[in-house]
Amino acid sequence: VDELARSPLFTHPGDLTEPIFGVVPLVIALVAMGICVVGLVRGRLAESTLAVGIVGLPLLAFALANTVLLDRSKETEFCESCHLMVPIGESTRADDGSLASFHVSHGAVPTAQSCYGCHSGYGMWGDLNAKLSGVEHMVHTVLGSYELPLRLYRPYNIDSCLACHAESKRFRDVEVHATAEIQEALLSSEMSCTGMCHPAAHPPEALSGNGQAR
Amino acid sequence: MIRALCALVLGSLALLIAMLLKTEASTAIPFSFLAMPVLALAIALYAYYTWGPVRMNDEERRLYELAFSSLEQRDFVRLVALGTWQDAQRGEKLIHTGEHPEVVRVLLSGKVSLQVAGETLGELGPGRLVGSALILTDEPSQGDVIAVEPTRVLAWPTETLGRVLEKKPRVRSALQAIVSEDLARKVQALSSR
């Protein structure tokens, strides 16, 4: 089974350019670190060297690295590096009947970016909001200020669903989706896709950390 | 200051590299909450160091007004940082006969006299340079320079000063003008004896 899972057709093609973008900021950071070590040992640097070593190269390294790192932080693997997210990640791959696992098992969202695919919102601001939420997650992780079971900070924005479903025939053919009251209730977040009509996004035991909390 | 800046940037870059090599929560948290703020702090310190207000203590301000007002204040403060403040008691020799001085001094307070074979050729007071002519001619001193009262000087090792001035032509030319004026005043004082 493992051999089959690794066969070329079953392997995600990945991003071939990414390793190069990862090496460039690494090299720039090392050069800047060399200059800093000289400055640290000698206690002085020429003005131009100081400007390059302290400001120019580090800023360039951070700017390039951040583009790579922001991309890498979309990976499910990154989300699951927080122990609290592990049960949720595992459940999405378990085909356990939850909405998330249904999407993953049907290839409706890329497995490698399944968290980001549904939780980033739609459009440019969706990406930005996802990153801000990520920072919020990290603050709660550092402070241990999260509560179980995990809940969304705010009602789920169904734009993420509609980005794929809005124009699909199967979605439009469902009579209830065309009802004005239902549409209004969904768009105003009074009602959610999950719960009444569709299964919960994640199983409750996964949201409770499967006993792995703290 | 430069050591502190280098240490801060070095630390933030180390966290950046850790994050690049292993992108996960354990590196993302220190990277986001430490590396980026620390780099921002280092750059703010650098900007302050480069463009911020120049602060001089009373001694530095007095010396600046006495001898170095043609230099930009920031250049002067950096120049002062290269030197060492020294105190000489009355009768103490700053330069001995036959010595190749390795430092150039400028008097902040007090007075020194130049004595050749027991005869006093002249006296130098606050703001005057001591040893600059010997360094320029690369010849040994023909007399003693002796403090005639408690004297406070700022002394620069000539090697350090030369190395720094090599990289700062603007400061070098301003200092050359100061040294030339000082020499002209010494010659004038000698010729009027």
Side-chain angles (χ1 to χ4, degrees):
Chain A
V1 174
D2 284 349
E3 207 173 303
L4 187 65
R6 285 196 297 270
S7 63
L9 198 59
F10 291 173
T11 307
H12 195 277
D15 185 356
L16 295 175
T17 56
E18 199 265 349
I20 297 167
F21 285 113
V23 168
V24 173
L26 193 70
V27 171
I28 294 171
L30 287 171
V31 173
M33 283 177 92
I35 294 173
C36 289
V37 167
V38 173
L40 202 60
V41 172
R42 293 172 62 183
R44 58 188 160 74
L45 283 173
E47 269 176 49
S48 52
T49 314
L50 192 66
V52 169
I54 301 285
V55 181
L57 291 179
L59 273 183
L60 187 62
F62 268 76
L64 292 175
N66 268 318
T67 58
V68 176
L69 295 173
L70 284 175
D71 207 49
R72 282 189 197 166
S73 65
K74 293 176 182 173
E75 301 286 324
T76 308
E77 197 180 333
F78 175 77
C79 304
E80 285 185 64
S81 64
C82 261
H83 66 281
L84 206 54
M85 293 294 160
V86 174
I88 301 175
E90 283 171 350
S91 80
T92 61
R93 294 184 294 272
D95 201 7
D96 58 6
S98 67
L99 198 61
S101 74
F102 179 86
H103 279 78
V104 170
S105 63
H106 285 75
V109 289
T111 312
Q113 295 187 353
S114 56
C115 309
Y116 194 80
C118 293
H119 287 281
S120 64
Y122 187 61
M124 187 181 79
W125 298 115
D127 282 357
L128 185 68
N129 288 334
K131 299 303 172 194
L132 291 174
S133 290
V135 174
E136 215 168 332
H137 289 2
M138 286 199 279
V139 171
H140 286 305
T141 305
V142 169
L143 301 177
S145 57
Y146 52 83
E147 283 178 12
L148 296 173
L150 295 174
R151 283 179 289 110
L152 291 170
Y153 295 120
R154 53 198 74 83
Y156 188 79
N157 186 344
I158 65 161
D159 282 0
S160 295
C161 310
L162 297 178
C164 296
H165 292 284
E167 290 169 333
S168 105
K169 186 174 182 305
R170 269 188 70 190
F171 177 76
R172 290 183 171 195
D173 283 349
V174 178
E175 199 178 323
V176 74
H177 290 163
T179 315
E181 296 81 42
I182 295 291
Q183 288 199 356
E184 198 180 325
L186 282 169
L187 290 171
S188 64
S189 302
E190 273 175 39
M191 190 182 168
S192 166
C193 305
T194 61
M196 277 176 69
C197 306
H198 298 286
H202 303 287
E205 59 274 17
L207 293 172
S208 298
N210 271 0
Q212 291 192 32
R214 297 183 209 275
Chain B
M1 178 67 175
I2 289 176
R3 281 201 169 98
L5 279 174
C6 289
L8 288 175
V9 175
L10 207 52
S12 64
L13 288 169
L15 290 173
L16 173 79
I17 288 177
M19 177 73 176
L20 277 169
L21 294 178
K22 197 175 180 186
T23 310
E24 60 174 42
S26 63
T27 51
I29 290 170
F31 174 73
S32 305
F33 298 123
L34 269 177
M36 294 209 273
V38 162
L39 182 70
L41 173 70
I43 291 173
L45 283 175
Y46 171 82
Y48 184 80
Y49 174 75
T50 312
W51 298 293
V54 178
R55 292 192 184 181
M56 288 194 264
N57 61 30
D58 291 343
E59 284 188 332
E60 289 165 351
R61 186 162 297 284
R62 182 167 146 71
L63 188 62
Y64 179 75
E65 286 163 3
L66 278 170
F68 297 98
S69 55
S70 58
L71 280 178
E72 284 187 20
Q73 289 191 349
R74 193 179 307 280
D75 290 333
F76 171 71
V77 169
R78 287 179 186 168
L79 212 53
V80 169
L82 297 174
T84 316
W85 290 101
Q86 294 173 346
D87 290 302
Q89 300 307 313
R90 185 176 175 184
E92 191 176 321
K93 281 187 184 176
L94 299 181
I95 298 175
H96 295 77
T97 304
E99 177 188 339
H100 275 283
E102 289 174 354
V103 293
V104 60
R105 298 176 174 90
V106 58
L107 273 71
L108 173 72
S109 60
K111 199 178 280 183
V112 297
S113 71
L114 171 60
Q115 296 183 3
V116 176
E119 188 193 348
T120 300
L121 288 188
E123 289 186 335
L124 300 172
R128 306 303 302 280
L129 297 168
V130 177
S132 55
L134 298 172
I135 286 160
L136 284 173
T137 55
D138 198 26
E139 284 184 5
S141 175
Q142 292 177 10
D144 295 325
V145 175
I146 303 169
V148 292
E149 56 185 72
T151 301
R152 187 159 171 79
V153 299
L154 180 63
W156 287 290
T158 49
E159 196 189 331
T160 309
L161 196 61
R163 205 170 45 231
V164 172
L165 293 181
E166 214 170 278
K167 292 172 186 163
K168 295 178 185 288
R170 188 188 62 208
V171 181
R172 188 176 60 216
S173 61
L175 269 188
Q176 277 168 345
I178 290 167
V179 170
S180 303
E181 188 192 327
D182 183 75
L183 283 175
R185 285 169 68 183
K186 283 173 184 163
V187 170
Q188 197 176 30
L190 278 175
S191 57
S192 63
R193 274 167 56 88

